[in-house]
Structures are given as C-alpha cells and as structure tokens.
Amino acid sequence: MLPIPQVVLPDGAAVPALGLGTWMMGEQRRRAGDEAAALAHGLDRGMTLIDTAEMYGDGGAEEVVARAIAGRRDEVFLVSKVYPHNAGRGSAIAACERSLQRLRTDRLDLYLLHWRGSVPLAETVAAFEALRRDGKIARWGVSNFDAGDLAELWALPEGRHCATNQVLYHLGERGIEWALLPWMRARRMPLMAYSPLGQGALLRRKELATVASRIGATPAQVALAWLLRQRDLMVIPKAADPAHVAANRAACDLALDAAALAALDDAFPPPSGASALAML
Ligand SMILES: NC(=O)c1ccc[n+]([C@@H]2O[C@H](COP(=O)([O-])OP(=O)(O)OC[C@H]3O[C@@H](n4cnc5c(N)ncnc54)[C@H](OP(=O)(O)O)[C@@H]3O)[C@@H](O)[C@H]2O)c1
C-alpha cells in the first residue's frame, strides 16, 4: 500500500490528503460505537485527518470522534466547524470550548467557519485569532466561501491567516474549477473537498462505473483518485462502514492514466463559465 500523500498548509503543517468525514454520525446513540470504530479503522490506515462540526448530530458527531481518538489524540489532525450564528467575538470562543469538551481534547488543529452568515468577517477573524493565541486552535479557515467572499476575507488585516476553504467538489460538481480553485492556487491556499463521493449518488452514475470497471477499480476509488491526483487537495469521504473505509484508503494506490482521465472529462466536463458556488 502506498503512503497517503500529504498536503502542506500555508503555515507549513503537513496534513494527509485523504481523511475522514463525520456528517450523519452521532445521530443515533446505538450506532455511535460502530461509527467510532469505523473512524478508528481509518486512523489505523493513516487517514488521520478527521472533519467534524458542532452541527453534525447536534454535537453527537464530535462525541463519536472523541471515542475514536481517545488515547491517540496526537496522531490526529482534528477539524471542527462553528455555526455562522455562533461566529461572533464571544460566541465563537464559547462554541469552540463546547466543541473541545465534546471532543474531550484541549485543542483543535483547524477551526472553520461553516458558512458565511450575518456576523461581520472581521469579528469572526478576531475570535479565531484570540482562540489561536490561547492555544485552543492551531489555525483557522472557512467553508463554503466563493472567490468573492475569500477576496473580502483576504483584505482583512489577519485574513491571510486563513488556512483553507472547505467546499463541495467532486467529479459531478466541478464549478469551482472556473474561478475559486485558481484563486486559491494563486495564493497557495489548499482546498478541502467535501462530499467527494457526491454523498453516494455520484457512485451510481453509469459513466463512472464504466471507467472503473475498465481499470479494475470501484467507482468510489476512481472518484477519490481523480481528486487526489491534484496535489493540493484534502479529501474527506465519510464512511461508517469499515469496508468502505478500507476501500477508500486503497484509492491512494490508484493512478488514473490519460485514457481514464479523458473518459472522465468527457462524462463529467469541466465548467465552461462562471456559476454560483454549489453547496449542500
Ligand atoms: N462544510 C460543509 O458544508 C460540508 C458539507 C457536506 C459534507 N461535509 C464534510 O465532508 C464529509 C464527506 O461528505 P458527505 O458525508 O456529505 O458525503 P460523501 O463522503 O461524498 O459520501 C458519503 C456516502 O458514501 C458512502 N461511501 C463511502 N465510501 C464508500 C465506498 N467506498 N463505496 C460505496 N459507498 C461509500 C457512505 O456510506 P457509509 O457511511 O455507509 O459507509 C455514505 O453514504 C462529511 O461527512 C463532512 O465531514 C462538509
């Protein structure tokens, strides 16, 4: 098995390009043990980037993550997100402290604004910087920001400390290739791709199955390998089934050749113009 490639953040921290999502986890108490085991299975395979949020399972997903990382916190690059309505100067600090309690840790490696709301960006950045100075977060970033939002953020005094922007990106949703991805690349800000399997729907597309069977891989592996071949992306598939976790990890061993890439471009064409940022 090849090692998982790493992505280097603007402050020099190296993060595995393939991690673990947690949306829909922590919603049912009886499933929490299995969900934590699936995450631990991923950690054992080097998928040590875990993405969660105060929103997921109303805090339940963070509690599942706490179970998965118990006794191995130092192995993990831990990401959580604050609701826009909690992103004010004092409320973001309080929300982060609640997340830390649920996660049973004293620090996050990355704290994201989940999407842009009505709180002025400068206020959220001030809260994030205060959390960083206090050691409660190592760095911060945003999610669901289009190029215009990022440009506004970038113009703030400490806006350039933004480590990443987590957005919807997969074969069937390539709109960000038009403006957002080039904007971020020009500033060396790596992107975190969410719903890389299109929440499972992408995997049912016949064109993807055709390419996958031609090269002896699964649709999920092709979808992930297509993202991972771009060296500056972090990719966070969610899998509660340990067999899915193992299959996703194997995507790092899959190199797509020119014929496969051309077939994928044919079936899932890149954007031909500007469009609003797609989000879930
Ligand atoms: N910032 C945001 O606004 C935002 C929005 C959406 C998502 N996210 C983050 O991104 C993560 C991933 O996105 P997502 O959860 O929306 O969707 P996703 O990762 O694209 O798809 C998850 C679905 O795919 C299935 N799956 C996983 N691996 C598979 C495999 N190898 N073969 C077949 N099916 C497979 C999972 O099933 P099982 O669970 O049964 O294994 C689950 O039903 C989230 O969990 C969350 O952490 C962030």
Side-chain angles (χ1 to χ4, degrees):
M1 197 178 275
L2 295 174
I4 298 179
Q6 296 203 315
V7 170
V8 179
L9 297 178
D11 64 7
V15 183
L18 183 66
L20 301 160
T22 65
W23 193 19
M24 312 284 186
M25 290 189 178
E27 296 189 347
Q28 295 173 44
R29 192 174 287 268
R30 65 179 174 79
R31 297 186 53 188
D34 288 345
E35 291 166 348
L39 293 175
H41 199 64
L43 296 182
D44 294 342
R45 281 155 185 73
M47 299 160 81
T48 53
L49 160 62
I50 298 186
D51 176 74
T52 190
E54 62 171 337
M55 182 181 104
Y56 301 162
D58 207 11
E62 290 180 326
E63 289 169 358
V64 167
V65 172
R67 289 171 72 159
I69 67 174
R72 56 197 305 191
R73 170 67 185 91
D74 291 348
E75 289 172 43
V76 180
F77 186 92
L78 188 53
V79 185
S80 193
K81 312 186 200 76
V82 61
Y83 268 125
H85 62 257
N86 281 342
R89 170 93 209 198
S91 55
I93 291 169
C96 182
E97 282 166 356
R98 288 193 299 272
S99 284
L100 291 174
Q101 270 190 352
R102 285 188 293 264
L103 287 159
R104 285 186 249 135
T105 184
D106 58 353
R107 68 201 186 279
L108 293 173
D109 297 289
L110 178 63
Y111 198 33
L112 304 178
L113 173 60
H114 208 148
W115 65 90
R116 191 168 181 185
S118 56
V119 173
L121 288 179
E123 211 184 301
T124 304
V125 170
F128 283 170
E129 286 293 326
L131 285 165
R132 197 166 67 91
R133 279 193 300 274
D134 285 353
K136 292 187 174 149
I137 66 173
R139 57 193 67 74
W140 59 266
V142 294
S143 177
N144 295 303
F145 268 44
D146 210 341
D149 298 311
L150 277 185
E152 230 179 283
L153 179 65
W154 203 249
L156 295 175
E158 288 164 314
R160 293 180 185 215
H161 293 174
C162 178
T164 189
N165 180 23
Q166 183 186 109
V167 294
L168 178 64
Y169 187 35
H170 58 76
L171 265 172
E173 198 60 75
R174 297 181 61 175
I176 64 162
E177 291 173 25
W178 186 260
L180 179 61
L181 194 50
W183 191 98
M184 291 178 63
R185 286 198 166 131
R187 288 155 189 84
R188 295 184 172 281
M189 189 195 294
L191 183 139
M192 197 179 290
Y194 77 65
S195 303
L197 307 172
Q199 298 200 290
L202 174 68
L203 308 180
R204 294 189 285 278
R205 296 277 299 266
K206 197 166 63 55
E207 310 92 309
L208 182 57
T210 305
V211 174
S213 72
R214 199 185 302 152
I215 61 176
T218 68
Q221 285 163 347
V222 173
L224 294 176
W226 181 82
L227 289 167
L228 290 165
R229 83 190 199 292
Q230 310 182 49
R231 292 297 173 178
D232 54 354
L233 298 186
M234 292 159 279
V235 182
I236 49 168
K238 174 260 179 186
D241 177 342
H244 286 163
V245 175
N248 294 345
R249 171 64 180 85
C252 295
D253 294 342
L254 180 64
L256 298 172
D257 61 17
L261 289 172
L264 291 171
D265 271 340
D266 257 8
F268 304 97
S272 54
S275 58
L277 179 66
M279 58 180 90
L280 295 179

